[in-house]
Amino acid sequence: MELTTFWFAVIAFLWTGYFVLEGFDFGVGLLLPVLSRNEAERRQVLGTIGPVWDGNEVWLITAVGAMFAAFPAWYAGLLSEFYLPLVLVLVGLIVRGVGLEWRGKVHHASDRFWCDLGILVGSGLPAFLWGAVFADLLRGSATAALVGGVFSLSLCVLHGAVFLTLKTSGPVRARARRTAMAASAVALPVAVVALSNIPAAGEGGTDWAASPWLWACSLASMAALAAGTALTWRGRDGWAFTATASAVALGSAALFGALRPAPLPGLTVAEAASGPYTLGMLTWIGLIALPFVLGYQVWSYWVFRRRLTAEVS
């Protein structure tokens, strides 16, 4: 495998990990005012992501850093073309982080309200804008950006609701299951439109034979979303979360597969890549560092794997 292809696959993997992990993370933030009725339940909801949310964002930092080093022209073009929405993404992430960190340090209800508002807005902005940016990058139209944004937002809500059914107990869990079923009524039809447009934007267009694996990933993502909904309805929380996570991963695989020939209009992967020496050095660094990052992530999720209950202080 050429180093250019290898590093494109690594970057696609890092973005996919970010979408899967921050997907439910954003969904939990968006559902905070919907699922919690009192302060104990709000702590219960936020406690599901408290130990992991900042670690999830490391995937974004690593993905962007890898793009900067391995494909500097892609990095520069993406940040230049989508400067405003990406600045809004950063603002949202900052506001969200401040809200999550400060919430446990303030004591007045009014202060907690502003923290909760920051978490809500800071979760909603990136959840919508990442879908809009990548859809616009792929299709190059405002309509595609809107569909992509609605799709990613609704998918985050569904993914977050399913995650909360897995990680909580009591009334919050029951509300999360009902919310997941309601969110699927929006996410599923939008997914059909958005995911079918991903392989259609690739080299093969609407010819299934020209890009069969892109269509396979898109169709499998739709099927995984439908399976996640059915499994949630049946109370199979672990399998439901696996299904929604798989849907996000498969959709991301189709997205980066469609972007593989030309990550930016008029710019091929080979033209965007760094020189062979830089890619070679990055490969050695990545082979040493990535196993530690992945190991820490797996360990942290294993440590905080239990369900949370609402405890009144």
Side-chain angles (χ1 to χ4, degrees), residues 28-260:
V28 170
L30 287 163
L31 291 172
L32 175 63
V34 177
L35 301 182
S36 52
R37 300 291 185 268
N38 52 52
E39 180 59 24
E41 291 182 350
R42 282 188 282 274
R43 288 199 301 267
Q44 181 187 14
V45 170
L46 292 176
T48 61
I49 61 171
V52 298
W53 70 268
D54 49 354
N56 293 343
E57 292 186 355
V58 172
W59 288 79
L60 173 62
I61 297 169
T62 309
V64 174
M67 286 177 65
F68 172 75
F71 298 97
W74 184 17
Y75 169 88
L78 182 67
L79 268 66
S80 298
E81 185 173 353
F82 299 100
Y83 181 80
L84 180 58
L86 292 179
V87 166
L88 290 176
V89 167
L90 290 177
V91 170
L93 293 175
I94 292 169
V95 170
R96 178 172 174 269
V98 170
L100 286 167
E101 287 294 334
W102 281 12
R103 198 183 191 285
K105 299 176 176 63
V106 297
H107 305 288
H108 299 290
S110 60
D111 295 331
R112 288 196 294 267
F113 167 80
W114 288 110
C115 289
D116 292 346
L117 182 61
I119 294 169
L120 175 65
V121 174
S123 299
L125 273 176
F128 177 85
L129 289 172
W130 281 128
V133 165
F134 279 98
D136 194 0
L137 181 64
L138 193 64
R139 301 292 295 189
S141 72
T143 302
L146 179 61
V147 172
V150 172
F151 170 59
S152 62
L153 183 65
S154 61
L155 184 56
C156 285
V157 171
L158 174 59
H159 195 31
V162 172
F163 176 74
L164 285 169
T165 65
L166 176 66
K167 292 290 292 179
T168 61
S169 60
V172 170
R173 183 186 179 196
R175 294 185 204 116
R177 178 171 286 116
R178 291 194 297 268
T179 302
M181 300 304 298
S184 67
V186 177
L188 285 173
V190 177
V192 173
V193 177
L195 291 171
S196 62
N197 272 279
I198 292 177
E203 282 188 313
T206 55
D207 182 6
W208 289 45
S211 53
W213 77 274
L214 290 182
W215 284 102
C217 286
S218 293
L219 293 173
S221 181
M222 299 178 206
L225 274 182
T229 303
L231 289 165
T232 299
W233 180 71
R234 296 187 61 183
R236 305 294 297 274
D237 301 333
W239 285 110
F241 180 72
T242 301
T244 56
S246 299
V248 177
L250 289 164
S252 179
L255 170 65
F256 283 96
L259 289 173
R260 168 68 178 85

